[in-house]
Amino acid sequence: MTAAAQMSLNDCLVYARDHAHGNILGSLEVERANIDKRLAAADLMPHVGLSSSGNISFGRNIDPETNTYDNKKTLSTGFGLQMSLPLFDGLVSINNLKAARVARLRQIDAAQIEQDRISLEVVRAFYNVSYCKAMVGQMCQQLERDSTDLAATERGEQLGMKSGADVAELRALVAADEYELSNQRSLLAKAYLSLRSVMGMELDGGPLDLIEDETEYEPEYYEENPRIAEARRGVDESRYNLRMARGAFSPRISLSAGVSTSYYRMMGTDAAAPGFGEQWHNNMGQYIGVSVSIPLFTGLANINKVKRAKIQLMESRVRLDQTRYEVEKETTEARLDLRGAAEEFVAAEKRLVAEELAWKATRRKYELGNVSAIDLYTAGTKLATARANYEGKRIQKIISRITLSYYLGEKLIK
């Protein structure tokens, strides 16, 4: 998506999902977990290998044909095909595969947690831009209004209806408006930069064409909060690790089989050597065997691995309880924040209406010469503060609603 195109909040969230560095790293971690799962599955499969060897014997050596010592040069080559298959290892490999599968799901949850964290940052940065844009627009209107009042006051001074002090006060007010407008534009530029940074977008692209989309979406919900799901799968992974540690005490049984052959030829003699195919067939050998390994003493390593795995399982269970507690606490805080933001928004709206009426009345009195420019400046400042507070509470209410919806299970990206 180009910077010239209009971008809603959901567009920004989708862009951040695909381009933010944290989300890209999360995708790579998921891919690595997929590979780890495949590696764990490979431990359950047969291992097949092909081997070959070759050597030339000089000096006194054994004649492979007569099995006696001589001084002939002999060229020998050997080939073999081996296979080994684990039959039983105390279910270590099976539990390792199960743990790898859970670790993959856990990594998906971890990537989702990072994506949600970045998405919430995008939400805040997006509406921070909206707030700064509103402040710039407000300051432009205020500067235009005060400039109009200054021009009218200067004409009134020429007609003897206004004093020089009023003109000076209005000029100071216009100068303050110009300064504040410059400051708000700087804050808006920084807000755009912050949004681009969070989204993983190029930083030198300038302002974005953002729109507050009011489209109604069909909400999608998580089956379980990703943080709780990640912690719960951590318990499952620790449980499989404990089973693997206990399985190290079991005997290990494996099956092995293979075929091999050898080929030799006397060098420096006129004797005709059998052909390669004939020797390959005549010297072919096969074998099959079963091996059993029973661990008797490992320096207490297996015992301590079991103890460590038990501690890890207990830590995972405590971490799950802690995560559930924290998510419940944050959900309660989000609900209180939304309630407070809604009440403050209503109060800010009432204050804005009252300040607008008061400013209009003061400006009318100023036009009639009943109040000074200082009174007009005071009324204008209160109105500007009320408008800024109203816009801030509106943004806070929106962010609080999105945050609470997330904690109640709604997905941030539609």
Side-chain angles (χ1 to χ4, degrees):
M1 180 177 295
T2 62
Q6 284 189 332
M7 298 183 70
S8 64
L9 174 60
N10 196 65
D11 294 331
C12 293
L13 293 173
V14 171
Y15 189 96
R17 179 195 63 192
D18 299 333
H19 297 85
H21 296 98
N23 289 336
I24 295 175
L25 290 174
S27 299
L28 294 176
E29 291 292 337
V30 172
E31 185 59 30
R32 186 171 67 176
N34 287 331
I35 295 175
D36 291 340
K37 186 191 73 171
R38 299 189 192 107
L39 290 175
D43 292 337
L44 296 171
M45 300 179 181
H47 292 201
V48 180
L50 177 65
S51 62
S52 66
S53 63
N55 65 78
I56 299 178
S57 300
F58 299 93
R60 186 173 178 80
N61 55 74
I62 297 177
D63 186 339
E65 185 174 358
T66 63
N67 202 30
T68 60
Y69 284 97
D70 59 21
N71 292 315
K72 298 177 181 178
K73 296 180 181 179
T74 306
L75 172 64
S76 302
T77 58
F79 302 91
L81 181 64
Q82 304 86 26
M83 181 199 72
S84 63
L85 175 66
L87 297 180
F88 181 75
D89 61 354
L91 303 180
V92 172
S93 297
I94 293 178
N95 285 309
N96 185 37
L97 176 58
K98 291 180 179 180
R101 288 174 176 172
V102 174
R104 172 183 170 274
L105 297 175
R106 185 180 179 186
Q107 189 57 55
I108 292 176
D109 291 328
Q112 186 63 57
I113 292 171
E114 178 65 12
Q115 178 181 306
D116 292 343
R117 184 191 68 80
I118 293 176
S119 294
L120 289 174
E121 289 186 8
V122 171
V123 170
R124 299 185 187 98
F126 179 91
Y127 283 106
N128 186 40
V129 171
S130 296
Y131 175 79
C132 292
K133 286 172 64 177
M135 293 300 98
V136 169
Q138 174 184 316
M139 288 311 305
C140 288
Q141 294 178 359
Q142 187 171 326
L143 177 59
E144 181 181 359
R145 181 195 68 205
D146 292 340
S147 298
T148 301
D149 290 342
L150 174 59
T153 302
E154 289 176 340
R155 288 193 300 270
E157 181 188 21
Q158 294 173 359
L159 298 174
M161 299 174 60
K162 297 293 183 181
S163 66
D166 291 334
V167 174
E169 289 289 345
L170 264 297
R171 286 175 179 170
L173 180 57
V174 170
D177 291 341
E178 292 174 344
Y179 168 80
E180 187 61 27
L181 176 59
S182 176
N183 182 53
Q184 291 297 333
R185 283 174 174 167
S186 176
L187 293 177
L188 177 59
K190 291 181 179 179
Y192 277 121
L193 178 63
S194 177
L195 178 58
R196 284 179 170 275
S197 175
V198 174
M199 291 168 56
M201 186 178 286
E202 64 277 4
L203 300 178
D204 56 352
L208 299 169
D209 188 5
L210 304 180
I211 56 172
E212 291 191 33
D213 192 5
E214 299 297 334
T215 304
E216 291 293 333
Y217 293 98
E218 184 68 25
E220 299 180 60
Y221 291 89
Y222 294 115
E223 295 182 1
E224 187 177 31
N225 187 284
R227 288 168 57 188
I228 297 178
E230 189 273 337
R232 179 177 56 80
R233 289 194 170 100
V235 174
D236 294 338
E237 185 178 1
S238 298
R239 187 179 295 113
Y240 288 127
N241 289 334
L242 177 58
R243 292 177 183 176
M244 282 191 290
R246 288 172 173 169
F249 291 96
S250 300
R252 296 175 180 268
I253 305 174
S254 62
L255 172 69
S256 60
V259 293
S260 62
T261 187
S262 61
Y263 170 82
Y264 63 89
R265 184 169 64 89
M266 299 298 178
M267 302 176 63
T269 65
D270 297 332
F276 178 80
E278 182 181 352
Q279 293 204 35
W280 177 281
H281 181 270
N282 293 338
N283 295 335
M284 180 72 70
Q286 302 89 23
Y287 71 90
I288 185 171
V290 176
S291 64
V292 179
S293 174
I294 302 175
L296 297 180
F297 181 73
T298 59
L300 303 181
N302 290 341
I303 294 177
N304 286 298
K305 287 180 181 179
V306 170
K307 291 181 179 179
R308 183 176 62 184
K310 287 181 179 179
I311 293 175
Q312 182 182 2
L313 177 58
M314 289 187 290
E315 289 177 347
S316 299
R317 288 170 174 168
V318 173
R319 180 173 174 268
L320 175 59
D321 293 338
Q322 180 185 16
T323 302
R324 285 172 174 165
Y325 181 85
E326 290 176 352
V327 170
E328 182 179 0
K329 172 178 172 289
E330 291 169 5
T331 303
T332 304
E333 288 180 347
R335 187 176 286 107
L336 294 175
D337 288 342
L338 178 58
R339 184 186 306 167
E343 294 175 355
E344 291 174 1
F345 175 73
V346 173
E349 188 176 22
K350 292 180 180 179
R351 178 188 175 187
L352 177 59
V353 172
E355 293 294 350
E356 284 180 343
L357 294 175
W359 175 80
K360 290 179 180 178
T362 303
R363 188 178 188 188
R364 180 58 180 165
K365 291 180 181 179
Y366 175 76
E367 293 172 350
L368 297 175
N370 295 330
V371 296
S372 65
I374 295 179
D375 296 324
L376 181 62
Y377 169 76
T378 302
T381 301
K382 290 183 178 181
L383 177 59
T385 302
R387 284 178 175 171
N389 187 60
Y390 170 82
E391 185 65 20
K393 297 306 177 183
R394 184 184 75 85
I395 296 298
Q396 182 180 349
K397 180 182 177 183
I398 294 174
I399 294 177
S400 298
R401 177 183 57 78
I402 294 175
T403 303
L404 178 59
S405 298
Y406 165 70
Y407 280 113
L408 293 179
E410 185 175 344
K411 294 183 178 181
L412 294 170
I413 301 178
K414 310 304 178 185

